[in-house]
Amino acid sequence: SVLFRAEVDAVDNKGCPVEVKASNPRYWGTKVMFQMISNGSPKLCHGEKYRGTLSRVTLKGLSSVAATALQYENVKTLEKNIVDGME
């Protein structure tokens, strides 16, 4: 049986999956957090752009991404996102 299928953007030098994003975090909501959970990524590589050019790259842990995402969400929204992701 296959329970979940997830895409991995990259792997680090130890072979661990890493999620990669270059979009603005204010638009992520819980989507990036759920992507990281489903593909097993403990880290997010976030590229920041200025005028279309990569200006900075930071690594963030799943706990940091989750803390930011969950700060503004309610339980009903989270339940809906989980159920929608399973369909």
Side-chain angles (χ1 to χ4, degrees):
S1 297
V2 176
L3 300 177
F4 288 97
R5 180 190 160 276
E7 166 195 334
V8 174
D9 293 334
V11 293
D12 65 12
N13 59 347
K14 295 178 183 173
C16 294
V18 177
E19 187 67 28
V20 178
K21 294 289 178 208
S23 57
N24 191 323
R26 86 174 104 181
Y27 303 115
W28 293 350
T30 56
K31 182 179 178 186
V32 173
M33 177 190 73
F34 283 126
Q35 284 178 331
M36 292 175 72
I37 291 168
S38 68
N39 69 23
S41 296
K43 292 186 270 185
L44 168 74
C45 180
H46 177 227
E48 295 178 43
K49 298 180 279 187
Y50 178 74
R51 295 187 178 179
T53 302
L54 185 65
S55 59
R56 186 166 89 153
V57 176
T58 56
L59 284 176
K60 300 176 183 187
L62 175 57
S63 60
S64 173
V65 173
T68 301
L70 296 173
Q71 192 172 19
Y72 304 106
E73 295 292 335
N74 64 46
V75 173
K76 285 290 182 197
T77 302
L78 294 172
E79 288 173 349
K80 182 182 180 320
N81 289 345
I82 291 168
V83 171
D84 288 351
M86 298 172 102
E87 293 179 348

